[in-house]
């Protein structure tokens, strides 16, 4: 079918596009992601996607970047982890609605999305929202859970030198990602400190043993030097007789 593939970024597009093409669909990509903040990040991800799509001969349709609409419909849920599921659902809905409206107006038969590649997204919710927007616009929802392809998408994107973002997209997700990285760094530092404390007695014993060996070598060298000096003196004394 003539399929519009909503894409969040270049790396996440790799595997869904490959698999959907293998299914025989005629695909165009929709980059409709008003959630991405700041605008420079939005542009960076778009440039990465466009470069890849040009190489593949795939059309990319860019939506309207409307950060205000996102803040009004999604941002009101706030940064709380408790409201995150509802916030993400509203974010999926906003972006997929935009893609579905475009698809219906431009003769597409169905709509798919790359969002399910990430293991950090709410996959079931994505499927529900995709089905709802497609039903509202008379489109066929083409839903696949691509999480098992995440590792391959990661490998391929790194091999291709693609820009890989380190947070989902919105400002809230960036704070969450930064906090998680800080927590992991703190945990690594704590584990390292505990390991050093645990190994300190062993390290101290090894240092004592090393110091003892160095002392033995020094004593041996001193003894040999005295022996050589004594031998030299002996030879000197007896040579004069």
């Amino acid at each position: 079918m003539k399929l519009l593939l909503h894409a969040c970024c270049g790396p996440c597009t790799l595997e869904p596009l490959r698999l959907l093409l293998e299914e025989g669909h005629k695909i165009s990509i929709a980059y409709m992601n008003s959630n991405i903040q700041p605008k420079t990040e939005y542009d960076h991800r778009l440039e990465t996607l466009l470069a890849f799509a040009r190489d593949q001969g795939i059309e990319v349709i860019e939506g309207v970047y409307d950060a205000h609409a996102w803040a009004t419909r999604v941002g009101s849920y706030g940064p709380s982890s408790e409201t995150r599921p509802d916030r993400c659902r509203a974010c999926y809905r906003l972006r997929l609605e935009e893609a579905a409206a475009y698809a219906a107006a431009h003769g597409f038969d169905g709509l798919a999305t790359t969002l399910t590649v990430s293991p950090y997204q709410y996959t079931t919710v994505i499927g529900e929202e995709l089905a709802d927007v497609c039903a509202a616009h008379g489109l066929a929802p083409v839903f696949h859970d691509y999480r098992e392809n995440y590792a391959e998408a990661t490998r391929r994107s790194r091999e291709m030198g693609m820009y890989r973002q380190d947070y989902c997209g919105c400002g809230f997700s960036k704070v969450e990602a930064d906090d998680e990285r800080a927590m992991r760094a703190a945990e690594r530092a704590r584990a390292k400190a505990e390991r050093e404390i645990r190994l300190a007695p062993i390290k101290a014993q090894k240092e004592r043993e090393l110091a003892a060996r160095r002392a033995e070598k020094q004593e041996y060298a001193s003894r040999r030097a005295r022996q050589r000096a004594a031998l030299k003196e002996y030879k000197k004394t007896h040579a004069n007789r």
Side-chain angles (χ1 to χ4, degrees):
M1 68 174 71
K2 184 179 179 183
L3 184 66
L4 186 64
L5 174 62
H6 168 264
C8 55
C9 64
C12 288
T13 304
L14 297 179
E15 285 297 285
L17 179 63
R18 178 182 68 81
L19 294 169
L20 289 169
L21 287 173
E22 288 179 358
E23 290 178 5
H25 301 295
K26 181 180 179 181
I27 298 173
S28 294
I29 294 173
Y31 185 75
M32 298 173 179
N33 301 297
S34 293
N35 61 308
I36 300 175
Q37 302 169 6
K39 181 61 162 54
T40 52
E41 176 70 18
Y42 171 94
D43 291 337
H44 198 169
R45 298 187 193 190
L46 174 58
E47 290 169 4
T48 301
L49 177 62
L50 286 173
F52 165 70
R54 279 195 298 269
D55 289 342
Q56 302 299 311
I58 301 292
E59 176 189 26
V60 175
I61 300 107
E62 181 186 4
V64 176
Y65 182 74
D66 192 344
H68 177 72
W70 187 92
T72 301
R73 289 186 55 180
V74 184
S76 59
Y77 286 96
S80 171
S81 59
E82 295 180 357
T83 60
R84 182 185 174 190
D86 291 332
R87 185 177 75 233
C88 289
R89 179 185 285 275
C91 185
Y92 302 148
R93 183 181 305 127
L94 176 69
R95 296 146 74 192
L96 292 174
E97 278 180 351
E98 182 181 4
Y102 183 92
H106 292 81
F108 286 87
D109 303 309
L111 178 66
T113 181
T114 68
L115 289 171
T116 59
V117 171
S118 172
Y120 305 105
Q121 302 294 338
Y122 298 103
T123 306
T124 300
V125 175
I126 293 168
E128 293 170 353
E129 292 301 321
L130 179 65
D132 286 348
V133 300
C134 284
H137 289 86
L139 299 168
V142 180
F143 175 81
H144 295 297
D145 182 350
Y146 293 113
R147 284 175 294 181
E148 66 178 21
N149 302 101
Y150 178 75
E152 179 62 10
T154 299
R155 184 196 67 78
R156 288 181 61 197
S157 60
R158 285 177 175 165
E159 188 176 83
M160 295 168 68
M162 274 186 168
Y163 167 66
R164 292 183 52 79
Q165 63 276 4
D166 57 7
Y167 65 102
C168 176
C170 74
F172 299 143
S173 69
K174 187 176 192 315
V175 172
E176 291 170 351
D178 289 344
D179 286 348
E180 289 176 4
R181 281 190 289 274
M183 289 177 61
R184 289 196 295 270
E187 176 60 24
R188 288 193 297 270
R190 183 193 64 77
K192 180 180 179 181
E194 290 181 351
R195 185 167 58 253
E196 289 178 349
I197 291 172
R198 187 172 63 253
L199 297 176
I202 299 174
K203 183 178 180 181
Q205 178 61 28
K206 288 183 177 180
E207 289 177 349
R208 287 193 294 269
E209 292 174 355
L210 181 60
R213 287 196 295 271
R214 283 198 295 262
E216 289 176 0
K217 289 181 179 179
Q218 183 60 43
E219 174 57 28
Y220 176 78
S222 297
R223 187 168 63 250
R224 292 290 295 165
R226 291 195 298 271
Q227 290 173 347
R228 286 193 295 271
L231 180 60
K232 182 178 180 181
E233 183 62 26
Y234 174 82
K235 290 180 177 179
K236 180 180 178 182
T237 300
H238 283 75
N240 295 328
R241 290 182 177 180

